[in-house]
Amino acid sequence: MNYFLDNIWEYIESFLNYSILLLDKTISPLEIIGAWFVIFILAFLVVIFTRIIALSYVTKRHINLEKEFRHWKGVRDEAMKHPDLEKGKALAKNIDQAQLNKAYYDYFFEGLLKHFAVNVLPILLMVAYISKVYTPETLFKRFGEKSIFSFSFGSSTQTDVSSLLWFIICLIFSFILYATLKWVIKKRYAKKEPV
């Protein structure tokens, strides 16, 4: 078993190393503008990637669990409409204990796993890439600075913005930019459709 897991880890490691080399070659022409621009582009691309994958990746299990949850939720809602309020509450409690809670937790955890695979994992992989490639030493070799930005607020001490902090700022801004672009596109196409 250990041999099998070691082989799997070697394949994963070689895939990740190949991906890093491919990403380096792809974005190296953009480094002329600066590390701040490259990190912003990477943050925006990871946001676009997560949004596209979130729309297209849906498992059959997730769909079935959603149907099952909605079914038992509907049955519970019907039980609550019973003319005798106490009997309705008792029926709803029995449905909760028998089926609805299990259906809800199965559906919830499947959605949580999907969210982790679709949203969190790509962002964490990009954080690992940025942390590995844009270290202060690498930034100094490539750009002559050990940080992305340096600024001071009128005092003699200077504050440096690291590549990881800049990525987080760009990631938040990219999510806002994506939501704004999506809203603008929906508004534009909603006006063009005939009434």
Side-chain angles (χ1 to χ4, degrees):
M1 184 67 172
N2 286 338
Y3 178 74
F4 176 72
L5 292 176
D6 287 344
N7 281 340
I8 289 176
W9 178 247
E10 286 177 15
Y11 286 125
I12 292 171
E13 186 180 17
S14 65
F15 171 75
L16 290 175
N17 286 332
Y18 178 74
S19 299
I20 288 173
L21 291 174
L22 183 66
L23 192 57
D24 276 344
K25 286 183 180 183
T26 305
I27 64 170
S28 62
L30 298 175
E31 288 185 349
I32 294 170
I33 299 171
W36 65 272
F37 182 73
V38 172
I39 292 173
F40 172 75
I41 294 297
L42 290 173
F44 190 70
L45 288 176
V46 81
V47 167
I48 297 293
F49 178 76
T50 58
R51 298 301 89 209
I52 290 171
I53 294 297
L55 290 174
S56 61
Y57 174 71
V58 180
T59 62
K60 286 183 182 180
R61 177 174 161 77
H62 190 260
I63 293 169
N64 292 337
L65 288 173
E66 182 178 7
K67 286 178 185 175
E68 183 180 349
F69 170 71
R70 291 192 189 281
H71 167 73
W72 287 111
K73 176 89 167 84
V75 171
R76 183 189 187 279
D77 290 343
E78 287 298 317
M80 288 297 290
K81 292 178 184 176
H82 195 276
D84 183 9
L85 188 60
E86 290 301 316
K87 191 171 183 178
K89 284 184 180 180
L91 286 171
K93 185 177 179 182
N94 287 340
I95 293 168
D96 284 347
Q97 290 174 346
Q99 293 294 331
L100 186 62
N101 287 342
K102 180 185 179 311
Y104 172 74
Y105 286 115
D106 288 345
Y107 175 58
F108 172 77
F109 284 115
E110 184 72 20
L112 186 66
L113 288 173
K114 177 188 176 227
H115 172 74
F116 182 75
V118 168
N119 294 316
V120 177
L121 191 59
I123 291 172
L124 287 178
L125 287 172
M126 192 57 73
V127 164
Y129 172 78
I130 300 251
S131 298
K132 180 178 177 165
V133 173
Y134 292 105
T135 62
E137 295 81 22
T138 309
L139 287 172
F140 188 73
K141 285 179 188 174
R142 291 184 181 178
F143 306 103
E145 296 284 330
K146 287 191 173 187
S147 62
I148 302 296
F149 293 113
S150 296
F151 59 90
S152 60
F153 292 111
S155 62
S156 60
T157 59
Q158 193 169 356
T159 305
D160 294 336
V161 176
S162 68
S163 58
L164 184 58
L165 178 61
W166 178 244
F167 177 74
I168 293 169
I169 292 168
C170 290
L171 194 65
I172 293 168
F173 180 72
S174 295
F175 274 111
I176 293 169
L177 181 63
Y178 176 80
T180 305
L181 289 173
K182 185 177 175 183
W183 179 75
V184 167
I185 290 170
K186 276 187 177 181
K187 276 275 228 194
R188 178 173 286 169
Y189 285 114
K191 287 181 181 179
K192 289 184 178 182
E193 290 179 8
V195 178

